[in-house]
Amino acid sequence: MKLDNRGLEPPNPMMRTLRALETLAEGDTLEIINDRRPMFLYEQLDELGFKHITEPNEDGSFTIKITK
């Protein structure tokens, strides 16, 4: 599943991402694209037990792959 959060103002990207994560089954991955690194989201993901990897994109955005 992919979610493009570019162009949204905080906290909308985080809220959309957390809602999408509720639908993930164990072992599934959500890929999000954000304009900036989601520092507050990382804290939430860690607390909820999700694994995440962040990769910078050429346009300055970031792709974050989140696995349940």
Side-chain angles (χ1 to χ4, degrees):
M1 174 192 288
K2 289 189 177 189
L3 190 61
D4 189 344
N5 290 325
R6 290 177 289 186
L8 299 176
E9 291 297 317
N12 291 322
M14 184 163 126
M15 301 311 293
R16 289 182 77 210
T17 300
L18 292 173
R19 276 196 303 272
L21 290 174
E22 292 175 1
T23 68
L24 284 187
E26 195 69 33
D28 284 353
T29 299
L30 171 65
E31 184 174 306
I32 64 170
I33 303 171
N34 282 17
D35 290 321
R36 53 188 75 80
R37 284 186 187 269
M39 302 312 288
F40 294 112
L41 177 63
Y42 294 146
E43 294 173 16
Q44 291 288 320
L45 296 175
D46 292 340
E47 286 180 18
L48 295 170
F50 288 94
K51 296 178 183 172
H52 50 89
I53 297 172
T54 301
E55 300 171 353
N57 299 316
E58 289 183 13
D59 66 357
S61 66
F62 294 88
T63 299
I64 301 93
K65 294 177 184 173
I66 306 165
T67 304
K68 184 170 185 176

